[in-house]
Amino acid sequence: MKKNIVLVFLVLMIAFSFISEGIASAAAKGKLIVAQGAETTTLDPHKGGSAIFVNVCITMYDLLIRRDREGKQRLALATSYKNIDPVTWEFKLRKGVKFQNGEPFTSRDVKFSYDRMRDPKTKYPFRVFYRGIQEVQIIDDYTVRVITKKPDPVLLSRLAFGAFIVPEKYIKEHGDEYFAKHPIGSGRYKFVKWAKNDYVELEANENYWGDRPATIKKLVFKTIPETGSRLAALQTGEVDIATNAPPFMISKLEKNPKIKVVSGPSGRVIFIGFNLTKPEKAGPLMNKKVRQALNYAVDKQSLIKYVLMGSGEQLATPLIPQAFGYDPNIKPYPYDPEKAKKLLKEAGYPNGFETQFATGSGRYLMDKQIAEAIVGMLDKVGIKAKLKICEWGEYEKVRKSHKVEPLYLLGWGNTMSDADGTLVPLFFSKSRYSNYVNPTLDKMMMEARYQMDPEKRKGQYSEILKLIKDEAPWIFLYQQRDNYGVRDTVANFKQSAGSERMDCDVLRLAK
Amino acid sequence: MQRYLIKRSFQSLIVILGITVIVFMILHLTGDPTDLLLPPEAGPEERELLRHELGLDKPIYVQYLEYIKNICHGDFGQSFRYQTPAFSVVMGALPATIELTMAAMILSIVVALPIGIISAIRPRSYYDTLGMTFALLGQSIPVYWAGLMLILLFAVTLGWLPSTGRGGIKHLILPAVTLGMFSTAAIARFTRSSMIDVLDADYIRTARIKGLSEHIVVLKHAFKNASIPVLTMTSLQFGRMLSGAVITETIFSWPGVGRIAVQAIYNRDFPVVQTVVLVASVIFVGINFMVDIIYTYLDPRIKYT
């Protein structure tokens, strides 16, 4: 019997060592593999609605204008643009561009694409960003005009975000369903294979109009939802880039000399909102001094250093530095518990008060732990906050009905990198997500929304942000940082500041 | 027998119909899927449009009746998220899950039966203690942890096996071991106790007195009789594996139905969740049905009327 067990073990050993030869770094063969935590649900660029989907589409499809990794807008399929009047934008288009099936790109494709994504029947989740477009006009083969319903200073950002250009003739000939299975774009990479729930494989488009990263022949997006498994695949060399490395894994990953963790500020703001829509429930929080006191009572630097292990950057206002309208001259509330106590005393609450505080768990980086730490900090100035931890789906429901607890922890991503996209949804009194009512602020935000002069607009947002900071409808906390695990096979990985977007098509392999 | 088959088929149908009602109702209680399908910036106008497009603006009983009607026509609805037929989304992932489940099942049986039988022949021997310790571990270690530890050891540290994805045999080993671990332990323990019971029986003593070789006594006389409860247990394990696949597929990013189900639940993709549950329950009910029939072959005394 004993002999048999030894024999079985030996056979297994040999078998293992035999098959393990097959596992070698893919990068050697001109292949780059990127592991993301979720799958793109579609390759039709007007049907998906997630950052993961955008990351895949941006490599296959072009846009008139692109946002680069530094956050700047660069011309892509457009060669120039100008405003004829505040609502009319004229774009000159690049000549000689071909779709991956050989079809030439013209203004007809732009009109077709923009009409398609705006059509409710297409069910484009990002349609909301384009509903301000009135119509798209073809002037000649290489000139189009986009006419908006109202002046829209954010239009270029919108077009750079998800207004992908698709081939009109091809889709009209073959239909939407066929197109989703055999997608054709004009981007740096073209479609090869989609093994659903596993990976999307692309190959370099030899006829791309711009410069091509010649070292990469194949680009693969792999789906590995479990964080531990995703990072294990990075360590074994099965993938070259892995997204969302949690802060506590950074030092472990970096012990491997072939792995580097690249981090940078994401587009996500984390804050504690005050529900001020129900004065009887909000109680003391209706008083501005109390709200300011809470801002002084929370030590954001410690939260970032000890709870987030460095994966955050303190913010003075709701706006991240990468967004249009940010004002670096507005400084955050410092940590000052004495000042907090003084303000509470002035407001008539020398002994503090009791309140409720809600948070989700596992939605944002260390969200529950952050909330728990804040409860402790508030306790030091006499405020007893009772913490309630909610299931996310339930939390979403409550939060949107203005029935959420007086204090609630939440995150917000700034999709367009523009002040309007953060401030209006979160502070405009009629917005679903706003739990704050201030007619003066409403008026200021609506004025800035339609201001076409960037300098004037910047000034308007500066005033708005000063008002918001003073009124303190939130405890302003921080901006999360994103951490990517990257192997040394990749030459030029860079985190896009203020965004979850990865521009994988511009990556190169290391020599 | 024929009457029994008809009766059982009818019962199975009722069970599956019941499952569709429960799943349908629970799903619709979990909230509005448009919240998760649209970006937070979307306003009431977009929301209403989408609700209408998805048919969510009708009363729930109307939605359910339409759902059942469509199923009878072979239409399982469009996935909210993928915007393709839910049935093809699930069926596309089914082969991967069947491959994994089968591998795990075969592995379990091949490992568990010998352990169980040998432990039963020599109770309280070193072999028995060793086998049952393994069985105890297999049943008590959480699948999630075991999967990650296997990845850490065999993929990250030793570099023998890939950590994720579906490919050849080498991709299958770690997930199959992880998924099969609990069942291996359960079947081994069950085989052991069932065999011990049988080995004590009079007819085994008779067989031994007749002078039959121990080999034949154990495998032919004892094991065949011990196998009925083992078969029941094993078929139950099959059902457990279908649910265990949800975790295993997530850890190893195995592109199967379990992964689809998890994603669909997160995204409130109702048609896909409903189809997954329906397909899984049909498989489960079908296996139970088959096992009942296999009984009659193993033990001619069992007769259904």
Side-chain angles (χ1 to χ4, degrees):
Chain A
M1 182 96 282
K2 226 181 240 169
K3 224 197 262 170
N4 284 351
I5 292 174
V6 174
L7 190 73
V8 167
F9 193 69
L10 268 178
V11 169
L12 279 179
M13 287 280 284
I14 294 164
F16 272 127
S17 55
F18 189 67
I19 45 188
S20 64
E21 271 180 43
I23 309 163
S25 172
K29 295 162 203 154
K31 199 171 181 180
L32 184 82
I33 306 180
V34 183
Q36 306 196 90
E39 187 183 46
T40 180
T41 50
T42 174
L43 295 176
D44 182 329
H46 298 150
K47 299 241 183 217
S50 66
I52 277 123
F53 150 84
V54 171
N55 283 341
V56 178
C57 283
I58 197 100
T59 65
M60 293 165 62
Y61 300 96
D62 257 325
L63 306 124
L64 292 196
I65 290 176
R66 267 186 77 154
R67 183 177 186 274
D68 68 12
R69 297 189 290 183
E70 282 75 36
K72 294 205 172 63
Q73 283 161 1
R74 294 197 190 280
L75 296 166
L77 287 180
T79 51
S80 70
Y81 60 84
K82 64 176 182 220
N83 271 113
I84 309 274
D85 60 59
V87 295
T88 311
W89 298 72
E90 187 173 280
F91 295 88
K92 292 277 178 204
L93 304 179
R94 196 172 293 278
K95 290 175 186 168
V97 176
K98 283 198 163 69
F99 285 102
Q100 290 147 3
N101 61 346
E103 219 175 276
F105 157 76
T106 67
S107 52
R108 291 178 57 90
D109 300 302
V110 177
K111 180 171 168 58
F112 174 74
S113 301
Y114 287 6
D115 287 350
R116 186 173 187 258
M117 70 183 185
R118 287 161 51 230
D119 184 350
K121 285 212 174 60
T122 311
K123 290 191 250 172
Y124 190 24
F126 292 139
R127 178 179 166 264
V128 56
F129 299 126
Y130 305 103
R131 66 176 169 192
I133 295 178
Q134 176 75 38
E135 69 164 313
V136 181
Q137 293 174 345
I138 296 175
I139 305 301
D140 61 46
D141 272 2
Y142 295 98
T143 313
V144 281
R145 278 186 191 166
V146 175
I147 293 151
T148 56
K149 290 174 190 161
K150 284 184 181 165
D152 183 6
V154 195
L155 184 81
L156 292 180
S157 296
R158 295 180 198 284
L159 296 183
F161 173 74
F164 295 103
I165 303 296
V166 294
E168 180 192 22
K169 205 169 137 239
Y170 181 77
I171 295 179
K172 280 193 172 159
E173 253 169 43
H174 297 281
D176 281 1
E177 223 165 281
Y178 183 87
F179 173 65
K181 284 181 187 148
H182 307 91
I184 293 284
S186 61
R188 278 197 179 86
Y189 286 87
K190 58 183 179 184
F191 176 73
V192 177
K193 189 184 169 194
W194 181 15
K196 281 229 174 102
N197 252 299
D198 199 354
Y199 62 87
V200 175
E201 186 180 313
L202 310 167
E203 68 180 0
N205 173 13
E206 299 298 330
N207 299 317
Y208 185 63
W209 57 267
D211 51 323
R212 288 181 294 112
T215 46
I216 302 178
K217 301 271 180 294
K218 289 243 157 98
L219 176 64
V220 176
F221 288 94
K222 206 167 159 44
T223 313
I224 310 182
E226 222 297 309
T227 308
S229 319
R230 194 164 58 246
L231 298 176
L234 179 76
Q235 284 167 297
T236 61
E238 284 165 75
V239 305
D240 302 291
I241 296 170
T243 59
N244 297 343
F248 55 86
M249 278 297 288
I250 294 177
S251 58
K252 263 184 213 144
L253 286 173
E254 287 194 324
K255 277 197 189 125
N256 185 333
K258 290 180 182 306
I259 295 175
K260 201 169 66 183
V261 175
V262 179
S263 14
S266 78
R268 200 164 292 282
V269 177
I270 307 294
F271 62 90
I272 308 288
F274 299 130
N275 184 356
L276 304 175
T277 55
K278 307 232 170 0
E280 68 282 2
K281 270 195 169 175
L285 294 169
M286 296 308 286
N287 188 325
K288 183 169 99 178
K289 280 188 176 159
V290 172
R291 298 197 298 267
Q292 289 175 339
L294 267 76
N295 271 287
Y296 283 112
V298 173
D299 182 358
K300 293 91 161 181
Q301 292 294 356
S302 293
L303 290 178
I304 292 169
K305 195 167 165 198
Y306 299 112
V307 187
L308 294 178
M309 300 184 210
S311 282
E313 304 205 357
Q314 190 178 350
L315 290 177
T317 70
L319 214 56
I320 58 172
Q322 292 77 20
F324 179 90
Y326 176 76
D327 185 348
N329 297 320
I330 305 176
K331 298 290 172 222
Y333 283 100
Y335 174 53
D336 189 345
E338 288 313 311
K339 182 93 186 258
K341 279 185 199 156
K342 197 172 147 252
L343 281 166
L344 283 174
K345 204 171 164 189
E346 283 172 26
Y349 303 96
N351 302 316
F353 56 91
E354 284 181 15
T355 186
Q356 278 100 39
F357 180 10
T359 179
S361 175
R363 176 82 182 182
Y364 310 111
L365 211 53
M366 315 298 273
D367 47 6
K368 192 182 112 205
Q369 292 82 346
I370 289 281
E372 281 164 348
I374 288 174
V375 168
M377 289 171 181
L378 294 180
D379 189 64
K380 280 194 188 146
V381 297
I383 299 168
K384 308 265 178 244
K386 203 168 153 238
L387 188 65
K388 186 178 152 197
I389 295 158
C390 314
E391 190 270 324
W392 182 255
E394 188 58 29
Y395 194 44
E396 276 270 296
K397 222 164 35 182
V398 173
R399 187 163 63 79
K400 271 179 286 205
S401 53
H402 307 293
K403 281 183 194 147
V404 68
E405 272 68 9
L407 266 69
Y408 57 98
L409 184 139
L410 203 67
W412 186 261
N414 192 324
T415 323
M416 295 304 151
S417 289
D418 186 277
D420 186 74
T422 296
L423 301 181
V424 173
L426 296 173
F427 297 105
F428 190 69
S429 27
K430 287 198 188 85
S431 294
R432 232 152 68 101
Y433 290 86
S434 165
N435 289 310
Y436 175 66
V437 183
N438 184 338
T440 320
L441 183 65
D442 284 357
K443 195 163 156 275
M444 288 166 84
M445 287 192 294
M446 282 305 123
E447 277 168 15
R449 170 171 260 192
Y450 302 117
Q451 175 57 258
M452 291 302 282
D453 181 337
E455 280 315 307
K456 271 193 202 150
R457 194 160 174 258
K458 217 167 204 169
Q460 285 172 319
Y461 280 123
S462 188
E463 290 309 309
I464 289 172
L465 291 174
K466 274 178 202 144
L467 177 67
I468 290 177
K469 189 199 158 187
D470 181 61
E471 280 288 319
W474 288 2
I475 301 176
F476 307 107
L477 295 179
Y478 52 85
Q479 167 182 24
Q480 275 182 196
R481 285 175 74 86
D482 279 342
N483 306 309
Y484 296 86
V486 183
R487 285 188 77 86
D488 61 1
T489 44
V490 187
N492 59 339
F493 185 85
K494 205 170 168 197
Q495 190 265 356
S496 307
S499 163
E500 291 175 350
R501 181 178 281 190
M502 276 190 294
D503 291 79
C504 292
D505 60 328
V506 301
L507 293 178
R508 280 194 321 270
L509 289 177
K511 291 273 157 59
Chain B
M1 186 71 180
Q2 211 173 4
R3 253 188 64 199
Y4 171 78
L5 285 182
I6 294 169
K7 206 173 93 190
R8 267 302 296 271
S9 311
F10 185 69
Q11 280 173 352
S12 305
L13 206 67
I14 300 276
V15 168
I16 289 170
L17 202 68
I19 291 170
T20 62
V21 176
I22 294 169
V23 173
F24 197 89
M25 296 303 157
I26 289 179
L27 275 180
H28 282 78
L29 285 178
T30 59
D32 186 350
T34 57
D35 282 344
L36 294 161
L37 289 167
L38 291 171
E41 288 90 343
E45 178 211 357
E46 276 84 19
R47 227 159 278 278
E48 274 320 303
L49 255 160
L50 188 66
R51 286 174 64 82
H52 179 71
E53 286 284 329
L54 300 176
L56 293 168
D57 51 350
K58 293 173 193 153
I60 185 155
Y61 67 92
V62 177
Q63 286 183 48
Y64 179 73
L65 291 177
E66 279 184 1
Y67 168 63
I68 294 296
K69 195 183 96 192
N70 291 337
I71 287 183
C72 295
H73 291 104
D75 175 10
F76 289 76
Q78 288 279 112
S79 157
F80 295 167
R81 199 85 179 179
Y82 293 92
Q83 303 201 17
T84 51
F87 191 68
S88 69
V89 170
V90 177
M91 282 302 142
L94 198 59
T97 297
I98 289 178
E99 180 186 321
L100 177 60
T101 321
M102 279 303 180
M105 201 72 221
I106 291 168
L107 195 77
S108 301
I109 293 171
V110 167
V111 176
L113 291 186
I115 291 182
I117 293 172
I118 297 169
S119 298
I121 303 171
R122 300 177 192 158
R124 297 200 183 79
S125 65
Y126 281 121
Y127 185 87
D128 182 26
T129 316
L130 190 71
M132 287 306 110
T133 309
F134 269 120
L136 189 69
L137 281 177
Q139 273 193 295
S140 45
I141 293 176
V143 178
Y144 205 80
W145 184 81
L148 287 175
M149 287 303 121
L150 286 175
I151 291 180
L152 200 62
L153 179 62
F154 290 103
V156 179
T157 310
L158 297 173
W160 287 357
L161 294 166
S163 62
T164 54
R166 185 183 179 212
I169 293 279
K170 60 184 177 187
H171 284 90
L172 191 57
I173 296 172
L174 291 184
V177 169
T178 307
L179 181 60
M181 206 166 54
F182 184 92
S183 304
T184 310
I187 297 171
R189 282 161 61 97
F190 209 75
T191 309
R192 179 182 178 270
S193 60
S194 181
M195 279 294 280
I196 286 179
D197 281 353
V198 173
L199 284 170
D200 263 354
D202 288 344
Y203 63 87
I204 295 295
R205 211 172 306 135
T206 312
R208 282 190 177 131
I209 292 167
K210 270 199 320 192
L212 293 177
S213 74
E214 189 63 15
H215 216 74
I216 295 190
V217 171
V218 172
L219 289 182
K220 204 171 164 200
H221 292 252
F223 182 67
K224 195 174 171 193
N225 283 293
S227 63
I228 290 184
V230 172
L231 183 70
T232 314
M233 179 71 186
T234 308
S235 68
L236 287 177
Q237 288 303 317
F238 201 84
R240 208 202 62 85
M241 274 191 186
L242 283 179
S243 54
V246 172
I247 298 171
T248 314
E249 287 178 1
T250 305
I251 301 172
F252 292 96
S253 66
W254 188 264
V257 177
R259 278 265 310 280
I260 297 242
V262 173
Q263 283 298 318
I265 291 168
Y266 278 144
N267 300 332
R268 308 276 196 272
D269 194 343
F270 294 173
V272 172
V273 180
Q274 285 158 0
T275 312
V276 168
V277 176
L278 194 63
V279 168
S281 42
V282 167
I283 293 176
F284 194 59
V285 169
I287 287 173
N288 274 322
F289 195 62
M290 255 159 46
V291 168
D292 281 354
I293 293 166
I294 295 175
Y295 282 163
T296 59
Y297 290 99
L298 285 175
D299 186 347
R301 285 172 301 176
I302 298 176
K303 279 210 170 60
Y304 302 116
T305 44

